[in-house]
């Protein structure tokens, strides 16, 4: 089974839609970082949010979502519009009975960064409140993007061995010609089915077909992509970190440890540097 994302238009309602299955891509990140059920849900939804924002772009922007709440629980996910993604999550624990054990974020900050092809980037923020990730994501869209949107995310977490994990989502974004009546009509039709478990057990293509039936309107498909966990780290990029230390500091670490090893935060690839690498990084 492979992941997929379908991007298209709802001409009748002046909305754009994104349907995504991110099961395998999210699982790769979850296994890499040994996350439990709570952070499996949060990281999967953060990855879907980054993909949804990347799909909103009209060019080759790359998008990241990073959040941290007051318990030091945090997640970071990158995506481009083709679904090339990387992500990392850091868990924390709460006392028994704490509502935040039920997939609720605490207070904190959510930051979104967009990178342009020319290297410029743009940052925007929103304050987290104690609610679900998708509630805070929609809050970000309203406050920072001034975009009307309907967001549905469903993640079946790893609760016990053999559990069928999945991560799927639906995103409806208002286009400039959308009216309040369009939003109200879509909300009334879509929100009830987002609460039905059977809806999320379907493939993205079946979800597409069911939406056409419910909305009684064709959903025009613009593109289909296959998301994947794709880390862009490399030894030359990591070398820049060592170069930023300066020769004296880097050499002192090398003398003490016999080598310098830096592990990628996202994919866990370890890069080693020895004396010959120092000579290349710091020529006389």
């Amino acid at each position: 089974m492979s992941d997929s994302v379908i991007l298209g238009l709802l001409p009748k309602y002046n909305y754009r839609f994104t349907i995504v299955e991110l099961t395998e891509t999210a699982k790769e990140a979850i296994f890499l970082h040994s996350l439990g059920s709570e952070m499996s849900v949060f990281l999967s939804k953060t990855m879907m949010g980054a993909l949804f924002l990347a799909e909103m772009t009209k060019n080759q922007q790359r998008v990241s979502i990073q959040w941290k709440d007051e318990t030091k629980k945090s997640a970071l996910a990158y995506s481009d519009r083709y679904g090339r993604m990387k992500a990392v999550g850091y868990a924390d624990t709460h006392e028994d009975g704490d509502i935040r054990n039920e997939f609720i974020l605490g207070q904190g900050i959510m930051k979104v960064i967009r990178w342009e092809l020319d290297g410029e980037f743009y940052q925007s923020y929103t304050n987290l409140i104690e609610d679900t990730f998708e509630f805070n994501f929609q809050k970000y869209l309203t406050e920072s993007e001034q975009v009307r949107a309907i967001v549905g995310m469903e993640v079946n977490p790893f609760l016990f061995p053999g559990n069928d994990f999945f991560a799927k989502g639906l995103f409806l974004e208002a286009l400039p010609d959308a009216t309040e009546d369009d939003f109200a009509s879509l909300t009334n039709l879509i929100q009830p089915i987002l609460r039905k478990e059977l809806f999320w057990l379907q493939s993205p293509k079946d979800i597409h077909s069911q939406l056409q039936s419910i909305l009684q309107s064709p959903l025009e498909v613009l593109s289909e992509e296959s998301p994947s966990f794709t880390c862009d780290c490399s030894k030359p990029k990591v070398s820049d970190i060592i170069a930023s230390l300066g020769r004296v500091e880097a050499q002192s670490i090398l003398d003490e440890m016999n080598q310098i090893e830096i592990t990628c935060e996202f994919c866990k690839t370890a890069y080693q540097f020895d004396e010959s690498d120092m000579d290349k990084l710091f020529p006389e």
Side-chain angles (χ1 to χ4, degrees):
M1 180 180 66
S2 61
D3 291 342
S4 65
V5 55
I6 303 174
L7 173 68
L9 298 174
L10 285 70
K12 178 180 177 180
Y13 295 93
N14 297 302
Y15 268 71
R16 181 160 49 186
F17 72 85
T18 305
I19 304 168
V20 62
E21 171 153 10
L22 210 61
T23 300
E24 298 303 318
T25 306
K27 279 168 66 175
E28 188 164 352
I30 290 164
F31 287 144
L32 271 170
H33 303 294
S34 304
L35 301 179
S37 61
E38 182 188 30
M39 281 307 299
S40 295
V41 171
F42 282 133
L43 188 63
S44 299
K45 290 182 176 181
T46 306
M47 294 172 74
M48 280 192 274
L51 178 56
F52 288 154
L53 292 181
E55 290 289 350
M56 289 172 60
T57 64
K58 298 179 181 179
N59 49 33
Q60 302 299 312
Q61 280 185 343
R62 194 180 184 199
V63 175
S64 74
I65 293 180
Q66 182 176 21
W67 58 262
K68 178 184 287 187
D69 69 13
E70 85 276 15
T71 70
K72 304 299 188 294
K73 183 173 54 186
S74 65
L76 170 61
Y78 291 79
S79 181
D80 63 14
R81 65 180 300 272
Y82 303 106
R84 293 177 293 220
M85 313 184 75
K86 62 180 183 180
V88 61
Y90 299 98
D92 202 351
T93 57
H94 312 298
E95 295 180 1
D96 290 343
D98 192 312
I99 190 174
R100 289 165 298 185
N101 289 323
E102 302 300 326
F103 314 119
I104 300 296
L105 290 172
Q107 296 180 15
I109 292 290
M110 178 183 289
K111 177 172 68 175
V112 174
I113 302 178
R114 301 174 183 272
W115 285 267
E116 299 284 359
L117 280 176
D118 57 10
E120 293 185 4
F121 67 92
Y122 306 90
Q123 299 185 69
S124 51
Y125 301 82
T126 189
N127 291 319
L128 296 174
I129 63 173
E130 290 190 353
D131 211 309
T132 61
F133 173 84
E134 48 266 55
F135 183 91
N136 281 282
F137 180 67
Q138 196 150 352
K139 177 175 176 287
Y140 163 79
L141 291 168
T142 302
E143 293 178 353
S144 297
E145 301 284 345
Q146 288 79 52
V147 168
R148 279 282 205 181
I150 299 171
V151 181
M153 297 179 178
E154 187 70 14
V155 179
N156 191 36
F158 296 104
L159 297 177
F160 50 84
N163 190 41
D164 290 330
F165 171 86
F166 66 79
K168 299 179 185 180
L170 172 66
F171 180 57
L172 303 176
E173 172 207 355
L175 297 174
D177 292 335
T179 65
E180 287 297 320
D181 287 342
D182 292 328
F183 178 74
S185 297
L186 271 179
T187 299
N188 290 335
L189 290 169
I190 296 296
Q191 287 294 351
I193 66 171
L194 296 181
R195 295 189 285 269
K196 295 181 179 180
E197 183 179 359
L198 289 177
F199 176 77
W200 297 109
L201 295 179
Q202 304 176 95
S203 69
K205 288 189 176 181
D206 288 338
I207 289 175
H208 174 268
S209 297
Q210 185 175 352
L211 288 175
Q212 286 193 128
S213 177
I214 291 169
L215 300 176
Q216 297 184 343
S217 174
L219 274 68
E220 179 185 344
V221 175
L222 298 178
S223 67
E224 297 184 51
E225 308 292 346
S226 297
S228 63
F229 188 94
T230 306
C231 189
D232 56 354
C233 69
S234 65
K235 192 164 184 176
K237 287 186 177 181
V238 176
S239 298
D240 292 340
I241 299 174
I242 299 175
S244 69
L245 297 174
R247 178 67 191 244
V248 173
E249 179 67 19
Q251 189 65 51
S252 68
I253 298 172
L254 183 64
D255 292 342
E256 180 180 353
M257 307 299 294
N258 296 321
Q259 69 173 5
I260 298 177
E261 180 173 291
I262 297 180
T263 301
C264 175
E265 180 183 23
F266 296 95
C267 69
K268 302 297 185 182
T269 300
Y271 296 94
Q272 290 86 29
F273 298 83
D274 56 19
E275 193 70 49
S276 64
D277 294 309
M278 291 300 103
D279 293 336
K280 295 173 184 176
L281 282 172
F282 303 102
E284 291 184 5

